[in-house]
């Protein structure tokens, strides 16, 4: 990694554990990126997180991969100190560090940002509510399903969008808050300009409706696309590496076609994921999973409630010419028919080969937590104790 001693107030620093690539982490990076021209992201080591917070679920290499895939992150910095150090920031030429409007403490109960605050190098952004690594671990340990969202039908979609825009809808996939989040996460690498497109598929009437319009520039660049789909639950290293490799294929197809090719990602509904996975899957609901996909630098457009089987008829309804449908090296659930049989027969199917994260799945990540239940329950208890201490610190300094 190349560092610099030239300090630039437009070169922003943000740091954290980034355990799970959830949309709260992406939201912090987005807001930090909006404050400058480039974003350096410090990622704490497994060892420092264990001492100060508890065991990680995702190892350092997986967390670095996730940060690198976020379109608002300019440079990932592995092994950043848990207590933010201005000396390290100086090495990368960053004047300001950005953090949410809460207080994070170290193992001794002291504010991790006390030094940079005293130096006048601390900027505050709004913390994303209702999502954290602690929340996700809690869903795994408690096997809850109350976070799942109901599938929207075609006969109600127009009213659902209208109610969301007027503020009448208070819950579900489409609310004023969720539409604002989709629009914000659909911005480009600067975190400000409109870029990606977001659509909702309604299976009962087989119709695709835009809820966030892509930029005119992106429309020109994505007349031809490749399509991938999945649950993308917990948006882990396997998903990210798959999308990275598909993106590389897209670049090659673009060169062959002599024109840009885009990547469209279909994200299955909670009901669809639960039908095939059972238990309390998905751990993240559709809104959360879609934002994870949308923040990924490899993605052009996102289709919500995408059908489990991407039939040729479905692909024909998309506003792009789909030249390939890609799938990863993972197998289908036992006894489930191949959902790609139709596109295979039409010669539109392609498969990404083996990669180092192919054996990781949502189930194996949940197993990491449940097989070490005692350690993660202790982490949850420590988080509760630390939260009380952090709230008290916040009240003192408010």
């Amino acid at each position: 990694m190349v560092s610099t001693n030239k300090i630039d107030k437009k070169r922003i620093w943000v740091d954290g554990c980034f355990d799970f690539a959830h949309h709260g982490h992406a939201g912090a990076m987005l807001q930090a990126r909006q404050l400058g021209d480039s974003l350096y992201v410090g990622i704490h080591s497994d060892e420092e997180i264990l001492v100060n917070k508890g065991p990680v679920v995702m190892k350092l290499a997986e967390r670095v991969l996730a940060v690198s895939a976020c379109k608002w992150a300019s440079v990932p910095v592995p092994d950043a100190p848990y207590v933010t150090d201005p000396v390290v920031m100086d090495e990368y030429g960053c004047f300001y560090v950005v953090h949410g409007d809460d207080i994070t403490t170290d193992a001794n109960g002291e504010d991790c940002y006390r030094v940079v605050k005293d130096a006048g190098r601390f900027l505050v952004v709004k913390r994303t509510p209702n999502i954290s690594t602690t929340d996700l671990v809690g869903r795994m340990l408690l096997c809850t399903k109350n976070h799942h969202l109901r599938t929207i039908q075609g006969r109600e979609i127009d009213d659902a969008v209208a109610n969301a825009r007027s503020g009448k809808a208070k819950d579900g996939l489409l609310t004023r808050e969720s539409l604002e989040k989709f629009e914000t996460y659909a911005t480009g690498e600067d975190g400000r300009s409109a870029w990606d497109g977001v659509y909702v598929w309604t299976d009962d009437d087989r119709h695709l409706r835009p809820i966030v319009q892509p930029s005119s520039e992106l429309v020109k660049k994505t007349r031809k696309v490749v399509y991938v789909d999945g649950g993308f639950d917990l948006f882990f290293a396997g998903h990210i590496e798959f999308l990275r490799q598909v993106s590389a294929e897209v670049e090659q197809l673009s060169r062959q076609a002599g024109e840009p090719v885009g990547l469209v990602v279909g994200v299955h509904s909670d009901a669809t994921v639960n039908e095939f996975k059972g238990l309390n899957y998905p751990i993240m609901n559709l809104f959360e999973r879609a934002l994870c996909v949308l923040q990924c630098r490899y993605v052009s457009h996102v289709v919500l409630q995408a059908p489990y089987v991407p039939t040729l008829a479905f692909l024909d309804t998309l506003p792009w010419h789909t030249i390939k449908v890609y799938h990863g090296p993972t197998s289908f659930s036992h006894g489930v028919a191949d959902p790609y049989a139709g596109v295979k027969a039409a010669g539109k199917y392609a498969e990404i080969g083996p990669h180092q994260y192919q054996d990781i799945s949502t189930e194996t990540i949940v197993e990491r937590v449940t097989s070490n239940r005692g350690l993660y329950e202790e982490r949850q208890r420590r988080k509760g104790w630390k939260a009380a201490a952090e709230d008290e610190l916040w009240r003192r300094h408010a």
Side-chain angles (χ1 to χ4, degrees):
M1 196 73 64
V2 177
S3 61
T4 176
N5 291 319
K6 184 179 179 181
I7 308 300
D8 184 348
K9 288 190 175 182
K10 287 296 185 179
R11 185 178 291 132
I12 305 297
W13 177 273
V14 66
D15 56 22
C17 304
F18 301 102
D19 202 8
F20 290 122
H22 62 64
H23 73 276
H25 293 149
M29 288 187 274
L30 167 59
Q31 292 180 81
R33 179 65 179 81
Q34 290 170 335
L35 296 174
D37 295 332
S38 59
L39 179 62
Y40 287 65
V41 184
I43 307 155
H44 307 321
S45 69
D46 299 349
E47 294 76 17
E48 283 221 38
I49 296 171
L50 178 63
V51 170
N52 290 279
K53 190 174 185 179
V56 294
V57 180
M58 306 294 187
K59 300 302 181 184
L60 179 60
E62 297 172 90
R63 294 183 286 116
V64 171
L65 180 69
V67 167
S68 300
C70 179
K71 60 186 171 183
W72 304 300
S74 306
V75 179
V77 183
D79 295 312
Y82 200 84
V83 175
T84 305
D85 188 346
V87 173
V88 176
M89 292 168 54
D90 289 348
E91 289 178 5
Y92 291 91
C94 302
F95 184 81
Y96 288 115
V97 61
V98 170
H99 187 65
D101 54 358
D102 57 343
I103 289 181
T104 299
T105 56
D106 60 18
N108 299 316
E110 295 190 76
D111 186 347
C112 291
Y113 296 93
R114 57 191 180 275
V115 179
V116 287
K117 285 179 178 178
D118 290 343
R121 298 175 63 175
F122 184 80
L123 298 176
V124 177
V125 295
K126 186 174 179 57
R127 182 183 181 277
T128 302
N130 305 320
I131 187 68
S132 68
T133 300
T134 303
D135 295 330
L136 296 175
V137 170
R139 291 179 192 178
M140 296 178 203
L141 294 175
L142 299 174
C143 291
T144 56
K145 290 175 66 174
N146 53 10
H147 59 283
H148 289 182
L149 300 176
R150 184 178 64 84
T151 302
I152 300 173
Q153 303 299 324
R155 62 181 177 277
E156 57 185 328
I157 185 70
D158 293 331
D159 286 342
V161 172
N163 289 337
R165 297 200 187 283
S166 68
K168 292 180 181 178
K170 301 302 180 184
D171 54 27
L173 176 63
L174 298 179
T175 64
R176 175 181 285 172
E177 180 186 36
S178 69
L179 288 180
E180 289 174 353
K181 274 283 193 294
F182 285 133
E183 289 171 355
T184 304
Y185 281 59
T187 54
E189 291 186 2
D190 63 358
R192 303 180 188 93
S193 308
W195 189 250
D196 302 300
V198 183
Y199 307 79
V200 178
W201 169 258
T202 47
D203 198 54
D204 58 328
D205 65 352
R206 302 189 177 281
H207 198 70
L208 187 74
R209 295 170 175 84
I211 58 171
V212 177
Q213 294 285 358
S215 69
S216 57
E217 183 181 354
L218 182 62
V219 170
K220 293 177 183 176
K221 288 184 174 182
T222 54
R223 291 191 176 96
K224 293 181 178 179
V225 300
V226 301
Y227 179 81
V228 303
D229 61 5
F232 298 99
D233 196 12
L234 299 180
F235 201 64
F236 51 83
H239 296 141
I240 296 166
E241 179 61 16
F242 165 67
L243 291 174
R244 188 192 70 79
Q245 292 197 24
V246 173
S247 178
E249 293 288 322
V250 166
E251 289 182 8
Q252 185 174 344
L253 288 169
S254 297
R255 288 192 293 270
Q256 292 172 353
E259 63 178 292
V261 175
L263 171 55
V264 178
V265 180
V267 186
H268 302 320
S269 69
D270 293 345
T272 297
V273 175
N274 190 253
E275 178 183 354
F276 292 100
K277 296 279 189 178
L279 299 176
N280 65 324
Y281 293 108
I283 305 300
M284 287 178 172
N285 63 39
L286 176 57
F287 170 68
E288 296 163 342
R289 292 181 285 118
L291 290 181
C292 288
V293 172
L294 194 54
Q295 60 85 40
C296 182
R297 67 173 69 252
Y298 310 122
V299 175
S300 305
H301 304 277
V302 176
V303 176
L304 312 179
Q305 300 187 163
Y308 183 72
V309 178
T311 62
L312 294 175
F314 163 72
L315 297 176
D316 285 342
T317 68
L318 303 182
W320 318 281
H321 173 57
T322 305
I323 55 179
K324 288 283 184 182
V325 176
Y326 278 87
H327 183 64
T330 54
S331 59
F332 307 117
S333 302
H334 180 69
V336 175
D338 183 355
Y340 300 99
V343 290
K344 284 179 179 178
K348 284 181 171 284
Y349 180 83
E351 190 167 294
I352 292 297
H355 56 75
Q356 61 179 322
Y357 298 112
Q358 70 180 48
D359 294 328
I360 301 175
S361 66
T362 306
E363 291 85 351
T364 60
I365 293 169
V366 171
E367 176 63 20
R368 290 181 187 181
V369 174
T370 56
S371 64
N372 294 285
R373 190 180 186 95
L375 289 174
Y376 287 105
E377 286 178 338
E378 176 59 23
R379 170 178 164 153
Q380 300 298 85
R381 283 191 291 270
R382 286 179 65 182
K383 179 62 178 177
W385 172 83
K386 285 186 70 180
E390 289 162 3
D391 286 346
E392 178 58 30
L393 271 177
W394 185 88
R395 280 192 293 271
R396 272 191 236 156
H397 294 285

